Amino acid sequence: MCARPPSLGLLFGLAFLLHSLCSANATPLVKGHQQASPFDPKALQLLDETLQTYKTLSSLQEETVFSAYNWMIPPGAPVHADIPDGLKPQSVARTLTLSVLKPNLFRMELKTTDTNNKVQTALWVCDGTTFWTYNSEKNYYTKHPAPSDLAGLAKLPGMDMSAPEVMMLLGQNPFANIQDRFDGARLLPPLHLEGLPPLDGVEIWQEDTTKNLIRLYISPKNHLIYRIVFETLPLSSSHDPSLVGDDVDALAIRRPVSSGDSPSTAFALVCDNKFGSSPSKEAFHFSPPRGALLFQPLNSPQDLLDYLQRNMQKTDLHHMLRGRKARIIRP
């Protein structure tokens, strides 16, 4: 048993959306194909400049807003196509806030609203002394001694690094061995978003049409990522009403289909990042909510008894242990 708050992988349609990008030791998708793959040196240079920027940031305040798009792909049309102009986005009931202050202050907060309009929160916080995680749905928390720098957070249990920005801030390289794991990377035409200078775009793709496409839009001025687009390829089914959550969860059961004689549906998840001023140290303070339980791995029967003693009422303990030979060690 291990302590694990809700994974940020859910933000990107479960782990398969980021697995290929964020695993530095991933197996090549097409062995031997990288020699002939069209990797634009300018696109690789832009990714490297972005990596170096995030690794050297002294602070960051970022809020991510998510939206989803569905559209029809006509028979015979390219399966990898831009989101149609004028298509209205669907709201995704999730937000992510990321705050960083070197050498070792870190806070990541994920809020998800379920179908009953109940907000669930997952937290990852390093206050300089302790690294905490908190899960409001389970109402438990974990705690570990804080590392001396952000890179040390990558080694701690419970740390979620599904987002490429988090990986880079923690000294990891989500683009490592990219030519072994993808079939190409190319520059895109500049993207114009309201209130921002034109953004440079990089598209990372796989020729296998059952794989996803990733587009990163980066500011040429500060090399921060302002938009990430994850596009799944033609999908054979729509949202499953039995699932709890939004259309992002539905990706877990959708299956890509080839572009044959019938129209199919494409799905894209868009992650828009907004940046604020450097956070203050007070933003990293955390204390477990009243009634929250400390979650610790149970490695022995005595660990179990100690856990029950800390977190259950005496009457519950008496009921559970009645008729059994057990010894409770009180502190």
Side-chain angles (χ1 to χ4, degrees):
M1 181 181 296
C2 62
R4 244 190 117 69
S7 173
L8 279 180
L10 288 175
L11 289 173
F12 309 121
L14 303 178
F16 74 90
L17 280 178
L18 273 177
H19 177 71
S20 294
L21 181 62
C22 293
S23 175
N25 298 316
T27 302
L29 294 170
V30 183
K31 294 183 179 179
H33 185 75
Q34 64 270 20
Q35 294 180 354
S37 298
F39 286 89
D40 187 336
K42 293 183 179 180
L44 297 181
Q45 180 182 353
L46 180 56
L47 292 177
D48 184 66
E49 291 172 348
T50 301
L51 170 67
Q52 298 306 320
T53 294
Y54 277 87
K55 289 174 66 174
T56 57
L57 283 176
S58 60
S59 65
L60 180 71
Q61 181 66 42
E62 174 184 303
E63 180 181 4
T64 304
V65 178
F66 302 89
S67 55
Y69 294 81
N70 286 278
W71 69 96
M72 299 302 298
I73 298 180
V79 291
H80 278 313
D82 292 333
I83 298 172
D85 292 335
L87 185 65
K88 294 183 178 180
Q90 301 173 357
S91 176
V92 175
R94 304 179 185 204
T95 58
L96 177 68
T97 303
L98 179 62
S99 306
V100 171
L101 192 61
K102 284 187 175 180
N104 65 343
L105 298 181
F106 180 92
R107 181 184 179 94
M108 183 164 59
E109 182 176 23
L110 169 64
K111 289 189 175 182
T112 304
T113 304
D114 63 21
T115 53
N116 297 319
N117 290 324
K118 184 177 181 180
V119 178
Q120 302 291 354
T121 301
L123 280 172
W124 296 259
V125 181
C126 184
D127 60 13
T129 302
T130 304
F131 171 65
W132 308 84
T133 71
Y134 174 67
N135 182 320
S136 69
E137 182 179 10
K138 302 296 184 182
N139 199 29
Y140 67 62
Y141 67 95
T142 67
K143 57 185 297 187
H144 300 277
S148 60
D149 55 23
L150 293 177
L153 290 176
K155 304 175 184 179
L156 295 182
M159 184 64 221
D160 195 304
M161 296 192 298
S162 298
E165 301 101 306
V166 174
M167 289 190 70
M168 292 185 289
L169 286 165
L170 272 54
Q172 307 292 308
N173 182 6
F175 313 118
N177 302 325
I178 188 173
Q179 297 188 49
D180 291 333
R181 297 184 287 118
F182 289 85
D183 293 310
R186 59 185 168 222
L187 292 176
L188 296 170
L191 176 67
H192 297 268
L193 296 179
E194 185 177 356
L196 294 175
L199 301 175
D200 294 333
V202 176
E203 183 176 82
I204 306 171
W205 84 92
Q206 299 160 355
E207 292 181 356
D208 184 345
T209 56
T210 66
K211 306 299 182 182
N212 56 286
L213 187 81
I214 302 169
R215 296 186 180 101
L216 305 173
Y217 292 96
I218 301 160
S219 170
K221 292 187 175 181
N222 58 20
H223 288 100
L224 296 180
I225 300 174
Y226 280 76
R227 172 173 285 189
I228 304 178
V229 179
F230 300 97
E231 179 189 322
T232 68
L233 299 182
L235 303 168
S236 59
S237 62
S238 59
H239 180 78
D240 183 348
S242 67
L243 292 177
V244 176
D246 49 45
D247 276 340
V248 179
D249 294 309
L251 290 174
I253 63 161
R254 295 182 177 190
R255 297 292 180 266
V257 297
S258 61
S259 56
D261 297 331
S262 301
S264 53
T265 303
F267 179 92
L269 178 69
V270 177
C271 315
D272 284 315
N273 295 327
K274 299 178 181 180
F275 300 94
S277 57
S278 178
S280 64
K281 292 185 177 181
E282 288 72 23
F284 303 93
H285 291 169
F286 175 79
S287 59
R290 184 176 182 180
L293 304 180
L294 174 62
F295 191 99
Q296 292 178 314
L298 304 179
N299 299 315
S300 68
Q302 186 60 56
D303 288 342
L304 175 60
L305 292 177
D306 291 343
Y307 175 82
L308 293 175
Q309 179 188 2
R310 288 193 305 268
N311 297 307
M312 298 184 70
Q313 298 295 326
K314 292 182 180 179
T315 54
D316 295 329
L317 274 173
H318 178 75
H319 176 75
M320 290 186 66
L321 300 176
R322 186 168 49 197
R324 302 180 184 180
K325 294 182 179 181
R327 180 167 174 250
I328 301 294
I329 305 298
R330 299 189 180 278

